[in-house]
Amino acid sequence: EFQLQIAKIGAIIPKGKPLWVEVKKIDNLNDAVSSLRKIIEDSVCVTADIYKKLKTSKQESYPEQIKLIAKLEIQQSIDALKINTRTEQVIDNATIELSTASYSKYIEELKVKFIFDVNKSKNESNFYKAYFDENNDTFTAVTLEAIEHKVLYISEQLNLVKETTCEQYLEMQNKVKNIITKTEQLKRIYDSEIKKYKLDMANKIKLPFFIYTAKILQNYQQGMGIFLTAKGNSSIRFLTDADSDHDAIHHLSSGQLAVVSLAFCLAINKTYNISKDLKFLAIDDPIQEMDALNIHSFIELVRHELVDDYQLIFSTHNDASALFMKYKIEKMHSNSVKMIDVQSKFFS
């Protein structure tokens, strides 16, 4: 600034010409010098001692130092130092010392924010290669603002995935509910049809079943036969009397229950004609636990109802019962019964 001011003064003096054409008194020269000093002091923003220090400094010139400080882009320190060529404040040693102290304090505060922590610089997961491809330009290009935007983007994408997944689960839940509803409807339909079938079967076989039990249970103390019913929950029940609700299982002996089982099978076979093209019936020990009268009644039922149409195979461990059945059946159909001693034929 001092040099600039001298240049301005020199600009009004023609080169190669003296300041005065005529010789003037020394007082006039002193006045001119004093006027020039006054112009310089008013134009320069530093005191004489500060200027001497800058002049004797072997480092960069004062304007270059100003440029260097400006390059640091630390506006607070520039404002504190008050180094501005347009300011009217004159900078002296006290101003420099105060500004230097303020600047040093500011620098120390900055250093605290940037203390090096070796733990933070560890790269055990190799993030530098995975995310930056070990490229310094890529790394330095990442800013805190960009990271924050990335975090927001990832959060939004995560919420979007959660919403999509939730919608998918809700859709699957609705489909499962529809399947359950339709399955329950089908179950009710099938249960209803099964109950109807049981009732229809019971109604169809109740008469032949009653006749067969009546023919075999000759010595049944409460009547001639067993009643079959299917009411309420459509389960089939065997009753000892039409006016009674007591199940036959609580009134009959084991031999009589065997008769009920035989009569039930024969009634189904007779009603539904299960083996229409092949009249074949095999019963394992049908007269087991029967008394003599029930055995006689069963054989009579067989030879009058089944022998003409069926191929019969009966097994029994009682030789006498086997001979008796052979005798009774051959009285109506001679030489139609063949006895096989299974033990002697297959296990001897």
Side-chain angles (χ1 to χ4, degrees), residues 84-316:
N84 192 322
T85 57
R86 293 187 299 273
T87 184
E88 296 180 357
Q89 180 182 358
V90 177
I91 299 175
D92 55 11
N93 281 332
T95 304
I96 294 294
E97 291 176 358
L98 180 61
S99 299
T100 302
S102 176
Y103 178 71
S104 299
K105 180 180 179 182
Y106 177 74
I107 294 298
E108 292 298 327
E109 291 176 353
L110 288 178
K111 287 171 63 178
V112 172
K113 295 181 180 180
F114 296 99
I115 294 177
F116 177 73
D117 188 353
V118 67
N119 293 324
K120 294 181 180 179
S121 65
K122 291 181 179 180
N123 191 27
E124 297 175 352
S125 300
N126 201 18
F127 292 138
Y128 187 58
K129 179 174 179 59
Y131 296 101
F132 305 100
D133 199 23
E134 296 184 347
N135 189 305
N136 187 55
D137 294 337
T138 305
F139 178 76
T140 55
V142 177
T143 62
L144 181 60
E145 183 180 4
I147 294 176
E148 291 175 348
H149 288 168
K150 189 68 173 180
V151 171
L152 291 175
Y153 172 76
I154 294 175
S155 299
E156 291 176 358
Q157 292 298 314
L158 177 61
N159 292 332
L160 181 62
V161 171
K162 287 182 178 179
E163 291 177 1
T164 304
T165 305
C166 184
E167 291 176 357
Q168 290 176 350
Y169 277 118
L170 288 175
E171 185 178 357
M172 292 172 60
Q173 185 182 30
N174 292 332
K175 289 182 179 179
V176 172
K177 287 182 178 180
N178 291 334
I179 292 173
I180 292 174
T181 302
K182 291 181 179 180
T183 304
E184 290 177 347
Q185 292 175 352
L186 288 174
K187 182 177 181 299
R188 287 193 292 269
I189 293 173
Y190 278 112
D191 288 342
S192 176
E193 293 300 319
I194 289 173
K195 289 179 180 180
K196 290 180 180 178
Y197 180 80
K198 287 182 177 180
L199 292 173
D200 181 67
M201 183 182 70
N203 290 328
K204 287 181 179 180
I205 69 173
K206 63 170 52 178
L207 183 58
F209 174 76
F210 177 79
I211 294 173
Y212 286 159
T213 54
K215 285 185 176 181
I216 300 175
L217 294 176
Q218 296 291 335
N219 60 342
Y220 177 49
Q221 64 272 22
Q222 295 188 10
M224 291 296 293
I226 302 297
F227 295 92
L228 186 148
T229 182
K231 296 181 180 180
N233 60 357
S234 74
S235 59
I236 296 176
R237 299 186 62 192
F238 302 99
L239 305 179
T240 56
D241 189 274
D243 299 328
S244 174
D245 195 35
H246 293 167
D247 199 289
I249 192 173
H250 302 298
H251 296 271
L252 303 180
S253 64
S254 58
Q256 291 171 331
L257 290 175
V259 171
V260 172
S261 299
L262 283 172
F264 185 77
C265 292
L266 295 175
I268 293 177
N269 191 282
K270 188 73 173 179
T271 302
Y272 290 96
N273 198 13
I274 295 174
S275 53
K276 181 178 180 180
D277 298 324
L278 177 62
K279 301 288 186 174
F280 180 84
L281 184 62
I283 305 176
D284 180 23
D285 209 348
I287 59 176
Q288 184 180 11
E289 298 185 354
M290 288 186 184
D291 54 25
L293 184 57
N294 291 146
I295 292 174
H296 181 271
S297 300
F298 172 72
I299 294 173
E300 289 297 318
L301 175 65
V302 168
R303 74 174 187 163
H304 286 90
E305 291 285 336
L306 303 174
V307 167
D308 292 335
D309 298 325
Y310 282 82
Q311 171 66 51
L312 303 175
I313 298 178
F314 296 155
S315 66
T316 180

